[in-house]
Every structure is written in structure tokens, then in C-alpha cells.
Amino acid sequence: EVQLSESGGGLVQPGGSLRLSCAASGFTFSSYAMSWVRQAPGKGLEWVSDISGGGGGTYYADSVKGRFIIFRDYSKSTLYLQMNSLRAEDTAVYYCAKGGTSRAAFDFWGRGTLVTVSS
Amino acid sequence: DIQMTQSPFTLSASVGDRVTITCRASQSISRWLAWYQQKPGKAPKLLIYRASSLENGVPSRFSGSGSGTEFTLTISSLQPDDFAAYYCQQYNDYPWTFGQGTKVEIK
């Protein structure tokens, strides 16, 4: 059974940093692209970042480019999102989502972790 | 960036109704379109991928159609469990983008 479990969210001041984690199980982690998608309170879904199965390809939304870094640890089957220079508009629930071995929709999602950026 | 526009924003319907949600892309995305259902406080759930392929375990009352720039999600007979928000998403080109969502409410 595929399971994705996010952690690392919390309250952080503007300009601060936070690292989110997503522990994955139930599938061959290295074979699948992984993504982060966020949802601001009461708003819709916004794709944040993708990383290919092999880790060689990373992609970012313009809103986070240069501030966020996506990476993965194959030994721990864990996906990460390093978030720097956080802004109030980064406040959201952050979901990790499993992609495919090639271009694919997100077929499994974690429960999400809330990030609140406020002074 | 490819803009995804859903309509309507809100839809009021009764159990048993046939419901259709439309998603338009600002440029052709072939059939690289997915539909998700989201209930309050929960993660999204994949319903449809490649515009018309039903994800495993999803009831057959859900169907998707379209290609290019025009897509539809149809629920053939609305059930109590279907009252939720629905999002389309293109994965033809980065950045992946979502529609703004359609909330299906009880009439």
C-alpha cells in the first residue's frame, strides 16, 4: 500500500526557513517523480515543485524559484522541500504527491502539513 | 504558463442529478489532463487521468472527455459522497497548473 507522510510544518517568521519531509513507502521510490503541491487557506491547489525519479530533473513554480529547493534521499525513501526566505503568501497546507515513471498525474497524496508564515 | 479555467465556480445539485464540469486550457494540452476530488480537510484524490482514463477504484459514474483545450468531467448520477470540490490539472507542460476549482453543493 502506498503511503506518503509529510512532516516539518509549523509557524515561522517572515524571512525564515523551514524544511518539509515526506516519508514514502509501498512503492519503488527511485522509479517515480515526486511533487509538492500547496493550498492556501480557503484557496485552490497550486503546484510548487517536481523532482524526477532519478533526481536529475527539478522544476519549480515561478513563485518559489530561487527560494525553495526540492531533493530526495533514496536511502530513506524521503522527499524534502527546503523553504528559505519565507513570505506570508507561502502560508498553506503543503502536500507531497506521487507522480509517474513518465509524464503522469498525481495518483497518491499525503495528508499535508501546515506552514504558517507570520510574525 | 498554461491557464486552466473551470466552470462553474459553484454548482448546486440534487442526489441523482447528472452533473457536468468544464475545464478549458489557454492552449492545447493534448490529453494531458487530470481531475481530482477534494473534500474539506482532506487531500485531493485522483479521479481521471489522460482526460478520460478512470483511476482504479473510482466509481464508474465518473467520466472524463475532451482533448486539446476543452474538457469535461461528468458525474452520471450524483451520490451523497460526491459533494466536494473538483479540480482539473494540466500536465502537458511546466509549470503544471490547476483550475480554480468547482464546488458541488447540495441543492
Side-chain angles (χ1 to χ4, degrees):
Chain A
E1 179 192 5
V2 172
Q3 293 193 1
L4 300 172
S5 180
E6 304 94 335
S7 60
L11 175 63
V12 60
Q13 292 189 336
S17 297
L18 211 56
R19 179 179 292 183
L20 305 183
S21 301
C22 172
S25 62
F27 63 101
T28 305
F29 184 65
S30 60
S31 295
Y32 294 88
M34 296 293 295
S35 302
W36 290 98
V37 177
R38 68 184 180 184
Q39 187 169 36
K43 302 297 184 182
L45 300 170
E46 179 189 15
W47 171 78
V48 173
S49 183
D50 254 21
I51 185 167
S52 63
T58 57
Y59 308 88
Y60 299 93
D62 285 346
S63 57
V64 307
K65 200 173 294 182
R67 300 188 298 124
F68 289 12
I69 300 171
I70 188 171
F71 59 103
R72 58 199 299 170
D73 184 331
Y74 296 96
S75 67
K76 296 180 179 178
S77 294
T78 299
L79 173 72
Y80 299 95
L81 186 68
Q82 177 67 42
M83 304 188 296
N84 302 322
S85 303
L86 283 161
R87 307 167 179 166
E89 54 265 34
D90 295 318
T91 294
V93 173
Y94 284 73
Y95 297 101
C96 72
K98 172 181 167 288
T101 54
S102 59
R103 184 159 38 183
F106 305 133
D107 58 356
F108 288 94
W109 298 64
R111 293 184 175 182
T113 187
L114 176 62
V115 172
T116 302
V117 184
S118 175
S119 55
Chain B
D1 297 2
I2 299 173
Q3 307 296 323
M4 305 301 292
T5 304
Q6 280 182 240
S7 61
F9 291 112
T10 305
L11 189 159
S12 296
S14 301
V15 172
D17 284 353
R18 181 182 182 88
V19 164
T20 298
I21 299 169
T22 298
C23 181
R24 290 186 173 87
S26 60
Q27 64 190 73
S28 177
I29 58 169
S30 185
R31 295 175 60 80
W32 300 111
L33 183 104
W35 289 99
Y36 301 91
Q37 176 193 67
Q38 188 181 32
K39 297 181 179 178
K42 301 293 187 182
K45 173 188 173 183
L46 178 64
L47 300 176
I48 302 285
Y49 62 96
R50 287 295 309 273
S52 61
S53 296
L54 193 68
E55 176 69 353
N56 289 339
V58 174
S60 58
R61 63 180 179 274
F62 291 93
S63 63
S65 64
S67 65
T69 61
E70 293 261 342
F71 301 87
T72 59
L73 172 70
T74 299
I75 309 172
S76 61
S77 178
L78 199 64
Q79 298 302 301
D81 191 47
D82 301 338
F83 293 96
Y86 293 84
Y87 295 90
C88 62
Q89 178 229 341
Q90 68 81 19
Y91 51 104
N92 179 73
D93 197 13
Y94 285 109
W96 304 152
T97 45
F98 290 88
Q100 75 274 29
T102 295
K103 187 175 181 181
V104 177
E105 299 179 329
I106 300 173
K107 191 172 186 179

